[in-house]
Amino acid sequence: MTHSSSSLEKINKIAVSKYTSAGLLALLLSACGESHTHSHAINDHAVDLKDAILQNRSADCADYANEYGSSVKDIRKNEHFIAQVSIEVQDRYCTLTSNNIPNHDFNDRNARFATNAKEVSQSFNIKRAPQLSYRVTPLEQSTYNGIMINGVPIDILSAACYSPNARRADRQGNIPIGCRSDAKWLVDPLGPNANMGADAHNAHTQPDGSYHYHGNPNALFDEKPGNNGSPTIGFAADGFPIYGSYFYDETRKQVRKAKSGYRLKSGTRPTRSSTSPGGNYDGTYIQDWEFANTGDLDQCNGMTVNGQYGYYVTDTYPWIVNCFSGTPDPSFRKRMGKNKQPNHKNTQHRFPPKPAY
């Protein structure tokens, strides 16, 4: 599907649209609940976002208010989906509602999703004027870390860790599920030995079929940034914008990639035992990394450019966001099933099955 010139103009300018009651109601109804049959057509009023590269760097979610749609494909299963996103504006918040399907094809031949991707209705409130807090808030497995403009959430942490005496431990002593975020050796989903079955977009599915990113989505921005750097591609749970990888460095007078302030620890882990995996600090576990403040970004993977704080996608840990510099909105807490509060058991990731080929 190709973008019309009017659609691309809307995507690039991201003008605030005026919804009709009927059009908005139709979108909300089509995204309500978990669907057993996939939507077959994009809403007539929706902007076609398929494979779009954004340009706007505005930190106000109101500048992205619109209805968006994309016709995409689950490559491995040869199934077609219609991605649907709605962004509405209130005085203090924007509400982003989506059916959790990305604006790009997904589940490529190298991926091994543990569960099939499904349409899952989700809604998030994004603060329009977030404030920096005196203390950072750590990531939790029970909370999504952010939401991309294409309606796909960010979920950085895994529930895999080193537990060699557990029944399901692999050769490295890691188990795929059941670990809390404060585990001593928590597996990094994008580490060299993670085995998370992610696709080319660093994404896979939750047990309920909801698609989510663990790092660079390889979508919404590219390696050809504008004069001011990469666009806003999403918003963290605290309301601050998430940018692509590039920013304008005022000191060097050039656009360049933002560099993480984390580095791998030197030397080796403690000798392998029931409490330590041993071996080199190679990035398998998030505890292999330490904040050295040697890059551009702070411990949460953010910085202030031209007076605006935001998080940046990086090529190394922590990938997008490592903590919140503001206060997360409660709407980002996970809810699995109608009226169910998040719990540790049903918000964990699990490793994919072994391939059948």
Side-chain angles (χ1 to χ4, degrees), residues 22-270:
L24 180 58
L25 179 61
L27 177 71
L28 294 178
L29 288 176
S30 64
C32 182
E34 184 175 297
S35 175
H36 296 288
T37 59
H38 312 317
S39 304
H40 296 292
I42 297 176
N43 187 305
D44 290 340
H45 303 290
V47 175
D48 184 357
L49 201 63
K50 175 67 184 294
D51 293 331
I53 301 300
L54 305 182
Q55 296 182 14
N56 200 328
R57 282 182 61 88
S58 172
D60 186 352
C61 56
D63 290 331
Y64 306 90
N66 219 319
E67 295 181 21
Y68 302 97
S70 308
S71 177
V72 300
K73 183 179 180 180
D74 181 325
I75 297 172
R76 284 183 68 95
K77 295 185 66 63
N78 194 30
E79 291 186 19
H80 293 268
F81 291 81
I82 297 297
Q84 296 174 322
V85 182
S86 167
I87 302 178
E88 298 180 79
V89 182
Q90 292 84 38
D91 289 339
R92 298 171 56 192
Y93 293 88
C94 298
T95 299
L96 187 153
T97 302
S98 80
N99 65 351
N100 205 83
I101 301 299
N103 69 317
H104 51 75
D105 295 342
F106 59 95
N107 194 19
D108 52 75
R109 299 299 178 184
N110 293 322
R112 291 189 292 113
F113 289 3
T115 52
N116 294 332
K118 297 180 181 179
E119 296 181 26
V120 179
S121 179
Q122 299 191 78
S123 184
F124 303 93
N125 292 329
I126 303 167
K127 299 176 184 178
R128 294 188 60 188
Q131 301 295 316
L132 292 172
S133 301
Y134 291 106
R135 294 182 179 180
V136 301
T137 301
L139 303 185
E140 296 180 357
Q141 293 160 327
S142 59
T143 300
Y144 283 119
N145 312 132
I147 184 70
M148 294 301 189
I149 289 175
N150 66 0
V152 175
I154 305 163
D155 196 10
I156 299 293
L157 298 179
S158 76
C161 71
Y162 181 72
S163 184
N165 296 327
R167 179 174 56 86
R168 289 182 293 175
D170 61 18
R171 294 179 181 178
Q172 286 75 41
N174 298 326
I175 58 173
I177 193 170
C179 305
R180 298 177 60 87
S181 58
D182 59 357
K184 187 174 182 180
W185 298 102
L186 192 70
V187 173
D188 181 356
L190 299 186
N193 299 302
N195 190 30
M196 289 291 182
D199 63 12
H201 299 277
N202 292 312
H204 62 175
T205 53
Q206 295 274 17
D208 69 340
S210 55
Y211 186 81
H212 59 281
Y213 298 119
H214 280 287
N216 187 340
N218 293 316
L220 301 175
F221 78 102
D222 59 17
E223 299 299 313
K224 299 177 181 179
N227 294 333
N228 295 317
S230 296
T232 298
I233 60 173
F235 292 88
D238 59 7
F240 285 106
I242 296 171
Y243 299 104
S245 299
Y246 292 85
F247 74 103
Y248 181 75
D249 186 332
E250 183 65 35
T251 301
R252 300 185 185 182
K253 304 297 181 184
Q254 66 179 26
V255 174
R256 64 178 180 85
K257 276 190 174 182
K259 183 180 178 182
S260 166
Y262 286 81
R263 67 184 178 192
L264 286 171
K265 296 175 181 177
S266 60
T268 60
R269 307 183 193 104

Side-chain angles (χ1 to χ4, degrees), residues 200-334:
H201 299 277
N202 292 312
H204 62 175
T205 53
Q206 295 274 17
D208 69 340
S210 55
Y211 186 81
H212 59 281
Y213 298 119
H214 280 287
N216 187 340
N218 293 316
L220 301 175
F221 78 102
D222 59 17
E223 299 299 313
K224 299 177 181 179
N227 294 333
N228 295 317
S230 296
T232 298
I233 60 173
F235 292 88
D238 59 7
F240 285 106
I242 296 171
Y243 299 104
S245 299
Y246 292 85
F247 74 103
Y248 181 75
D249 186 332
E250 183 65 35
T251 301
R252 300 185 185 182
K253 304 297 181 184
Q254 66 179 26
V255 174
R256 64 178 180 85
K257 276 190 174 182
K259 183 180 178 182
S260 166
Y262 286 81
R263 67 184 178 192
L264 286 171
K265 296 175 181 177
S266 60
T268 60
R269 307 183 193 104
T271 303
R272 179 160 180 164
S273 66
S274 61
T275 59
S276 172
N280 296 324
Y281 291 112
D282 61 359
T284 296
Y285 307 97
I286 63 174
Q287 288 79 10
D288 288 350
W289 297 88
E290 62 183 0
F291 184 68
N293 200 24
T294 54
D296 304 300
L297 307 175
D298 61 23
Q299 61 183 318
C300 293
N301 223 38
M303 66 176 168
T304 299
V305 176
N306 291 329
Q308 177 59 56
Y309 184 85
Y311 304 99
Y312 285 79
V313 174
T314 50
D315 292 336
T316 60
Y317 181 85
W319 314 113
I320 300 179
V321 57
N322 192 51
C323 52
F324 299 113
S325 294
T327 303
D329 187 85
S331 64
F332 282 82
R333 289 189 64 81
K334 298 175 184 175

